[in-house]
Amino acid sequence: MNRAGKIIFLAVMLCSVPGGCIRVKLPECPPLVVKLAVDDRNYFNIDAAVSLGLMERLPDSLPFRHYIHSIYYIVVDGEGNVVAEQHNRAIDNDLPEQSVVMPLSLPYGKYTVTVWGNMDSEAPLNEDASQAEMETEGAAFNDIYLASGTFDYSYGNDTFVLGMKRTRGCLLIKAEGIPDNIDFSTKDIEGVYGIVDSDLEYSNVTGINTALDWKVQNEIRTTTLMCPSPSYEGTTLSVAFIDKSAAGGMAQTSADSVLRPQDVRITVGRNEITILKYIYDEEGSGGSFGIYIWVNNNWEVLHNMEIE
């Protein structure tokens, strides 16, 4: 075969190779890259809290780690086999996005990438990291973020974006007129979800409890992160304002040192703020509370477990 014939033969052979990268002769094909962005920077109804002077709207220019300080991810193929995993690690840069880069050895195909943010450990995750027990140590009271997506990794289709979403809502309570001796409070919350999966589906209705020492009397404001309510007004909130020193550390059992408003039913939504206000009136027999919820730019009275 003459030189011209050889050149034509080689050209035909190269053109007959199936689409893709010729990894032997050319540089490595680009790896699968998943860019992580923060979808839920502010709560959906942040403007309500801003208007009341209870929170500030965060600018979009803040770095990724302002919202999410650590990430864990797992990658599975179409048959459910784990092909890559990164254990929980802290974010150590101020970039607006983070990139998850897969090994060059990963072949083309469909892969599901699941990312959890703001966990202190991997203890809340099940075996394949497809769901988390949100009230387990390592996740409880943390602002947990989640993203999951399935991608068709192929030649020319190697970079994808995942938006991290907040899994919890926020209960914000402001108290006014509380006596000066009150320096401690508790919250018992019954009827919130306890498990979330990689599709942002919730299950396992449970309860949570919090306790807080007040550093400044009469400036009582609390925020508690929790998963959504299972239904409208499906969560029951019990609050106690306590003079801990007078109770000798046993405030929950001392009626003289405990102010207990009536229980109320509330609705907690994902990435939403539920805003309540307790106003104590010392006049009358034993004092009383007015309890209000911020709805449609107004304070509405919560009475007998319902909005009045």
Side-chain angles (χ1 to χ4, degrees):
M1 184 181 296
N2 60 27
R3 180 178 178 82
K6 288 180 180 180
I7 294 174
I8 294 172
F9 173 77
L10 289 174
V12 170
M13 290 299 294
L14 287 174
C15 291
S16 66
V17 174
C21 289
I22 305 172
R23 295 185 181 265
V24 176
K25 299 295 184 181
L26 298 177
E28 295 279 7
C29 291
L32 171 61
V33 177
V34 179
K35 293 184 177 181
L36 303 178
V38 182
D39 276 2
D40 295 329
R41 294 176 178 268
N42 287 286
Y43 289 99
F44 294 141
N45 59 336
I46 184 62
D47 290 339
V50 171
S51 70
L52 296 170
L54 301 176
M55 283 187 176
E56 294 183 0
R57 171 179 282 278
L58 298 176
D60 292 340
S61 58
L62 293 175
F64 184 95
R65 69 173 174 179
H66 184 88
Y67 308 93
I68 302 172
H69 61 73
S70 67
I71 58 171
Y72 162 92
Y73 72 75
I74 190 168
V75 185
V76 298
D77 61 19
E79 297 179 354
N81 301 308
V82 177
V83 297
E85 182 179 20
Q86 177 187 272
H87 295 286
N88 204 50
R89 72 167 178 86
I91 303 298
D92 60 2
N93 62 74
D94 288 325
L95 296 174
E97 295 181 344
Q98 300 297 309
S99 292
V100 173
V101 182
M102 299 300 137
L104 284 169
S105 59
L106 192 70
Y108 290 142
K110 286 189 177 181
Y111 298 96
T112 298
V113 181
T114 300
V115 187
W116 297 89
N118 284 341
M119 287 194 173
D120 294 331
S121 74
E122 296 163 33
L125 300 175
N126 66 346
E127 186 174 353
D128 63 0
S130 62
Q131 65 177 216
E133 295 186 15
M134 299 292 281
E135 301 311 322
T136 298
E137 184 177 357
F141 305 114
N142 287 11
D143 195 7
I144 303 298
Y145 278 73
L146 168 65
S148 186
T150 299
F151 307 111
D152 188 1
Y153 171 44
S154 60
Y155 179 66
N157 194 40
D158 50 61
T159 302
F160 305 90
V161 178
L162 266 181
M164 303 286 291
K165 297 183 181 297
R166 184 178 272 119
T167 61
R168 286 190 157 114
C170 177
L171 172 62
L172 194 161
I173 296 176
K174 179 177 174 58
E176 298 177 1
I178 303 298
D180 292 342
N181 61 307
I182 298 299
D183 57 5
F184 185 74
S185 66
T186 63
K187 291 193 290 291
D188 295 318
I189 302 162
E190 293 295 332
V192 292
Y193 284 118
I195 291 178
V196 61
D197 68 21
S198 56
D199 294 323
L200 267 179
E201 297 291 335
Y202 296 87
S203 60
N204 189 42
V205 177
T206 187
I208 59 178
N209 312 99
T210 71
L212 184 65
D213 287 295
W214 297 109
K215 296 181 179 179
V216 181
Q217 281 69 35
N218 290 318
E219 292 186 17
I220 299 178
R221 184 187 306 175
T222 69
T223 56
T224 306
L225 300 177
M226 64 193 73
C227 287
S229 306
S231 60
Y232 176 69
E233 294 186 350
T235 300
T236 301
L237 171 65
S238 304
V239 178
F241 299 97
I242 300 163
D243 180 350
K244 189 175 181 180
S245 58
M250 298 296 292
Q252 289 84 347
T253 61
S254 175
D256 292 338
S257 57
V258 181
L259 304 177
R260 294 188 184 275
Q262 67 179 11
D263 294 352
V264 293
R265 298 190 68 85
I266 60 174
T267 306
V268 179
R270 187 195 74 78
N271 198 46
E272 292 183 352
I273 313 167
T274 301
I275 307 174
L276 299 183
K277 180 168 65 175
Y278 288 74
I279 300 179
Y280 184 67
D281 183 0
E282 289 188 275
E283 296 183 3
S285 177
S288 62
F289 277 93
I291 308 175
Y292 305 85
I293 185 169
W294 186 256
V295 178
N296 297 325
N297 296 319
N298 286 292
W299 288 112
E300 302 285 348
V301 178
L302 278 171
H303 183 66
N304 292 332
M305 307 281 278
E306 297 177 354
I307 297 178
E308 186 175 89

